[in-house]
Amino acid sequence: MRCDFKRCRPLEQFCTLSFILVILFVQNGRCIKWLALGHTSDGWNWSRESCTGVRSSGLLERKQARVCRAAPDVMPSLVEAAKDTSTVCQQTFRYRRWNCSSIQLAPNYTQDLLGGTREQAFVYAMSAAAAVWRLARGCALGSLAACSCATPPRREPPSPSALTSSSIALGALASRSSFKWGGCGDDVKSASRIAKRFLQASSLPGSGTLGKFMHAVNMHNNRAGRRAVEQSLTLECKCHGVSGSCSVRTCWRGLSSSGPVVAGKRLLQRYATAAEVRARPGGRLPPLYHHDNLLYTTKSPDYCLPDKKRGSLGTVGRQCNASSSGYEGCEYLCCGRGHITKTKEILERCQCKWYNCCYVKCKTCRKFTNTHECN
């Protein structure tokens, strides 16, 4: 951005403010630049030297690089978390006007992930959730020095009638059996602590009250993501006994095998109900919002048409479902601009028959499919 104060002196204050906001938006993406590790660091052997090198390339903040050097063994989990963030985000929003494709531009994000939008709030929260999930798995697998299996809870597990685990015999649900905490529960508490230390080890996006406020919003959304994983823990039990009598139950608390997708579904609901906040004196957040809420500071564009300044890629050329009235429907996705229908011919083998012992003869069938694209 160029601002000539000599030629536009009456607009000097406007030029100065615009320059500050541009710098703020650029710096506002610092905390999630590490997501670029998902497509730039495959096969790396993490060490203190490689952590310094990643810092030099601009993918880690100074304090994040310090965390990396102190515990290089956490970095493979964070690399996988970066991949998970991209995958889950794009899967979650695949039928929306904003389909999270801009996350692939990391670390050179567009304004949809720099300007304090709902979409930025989701990505911050999702990256934190993915980091906690991967780190918790690393703890349980014994690949991290800072943690292992979760400490067993003090309270006893619920009675069998309150459980839905398929590993419990149905005939044992009528009576309460002996139990013991066992297995290797996912240590989400330690994983959340490690993730928090890494994700919050970033500089303020700018200086002054506005910079502190944006940092507080980003860190709030990080915390909402970590809590989404904590709330995804489920109780799993396995029965022991003669002929499935379930005389003893071994129980542990673990995360779903479906990965961070569960947390992504929770965060999508919170994305829909995200709250707009405005800067306050001192750069602090108003004490009105629950820890689970997502917060944003800038209203999002409708993402209907390309707009580089606002980070909108538009929906021109996107495939839609002409028979649906939902988000993937042509009426919504094409923003009322209409759509075109393309017919494609597909040749495939059909009516195959066996001849003798090992000879197969098939016919070639033609199949026509229709696809719909937004104007």
Side-chain angles (χ1 to χ4, degrees), residues 158-168 170 173 234-237 249:
S159 62
S161 58
L163 301 176
T164 58
S165 175
S166 59
S167 59
I168 296 181
L170 295 178
L173 296 181
T234 58
L235 182 65
E236 301 178 31
C237 292
R249 293 179 296 130

Side-chain angles (χ1 to χ4, degrees), residues 96-134:
R96 305 290 184 108
R97 292 174 181 171
W98 182 81
N99 62 355
C100 201
S101 57
S102 56
I103 199 172
Q104 295 290 72
L105 301 176
N108 302 310
Y109 298 112
T110 49
Q111 289 302 314
D112 56 326
L113 297 181
L114 297 176
T117 60
R118 287 174 183 259
E119 292 72 36
Q120 178 180 327
F122 179 88
V123 171
Y124 267 80
M126 190 64 239
S127 63
V132 173
W133 196 91
R134 283 293 178 177

Side-chain angles (χ1 to χ4, degrees), residues 65-82:
R66 186 181 302 171
V67 173
C68 176
R69 287 191 293 268
D73 58 342
V74 307
M75 296 307 297
S77 296
L78 293 174
V79 170
E80 293 302 315

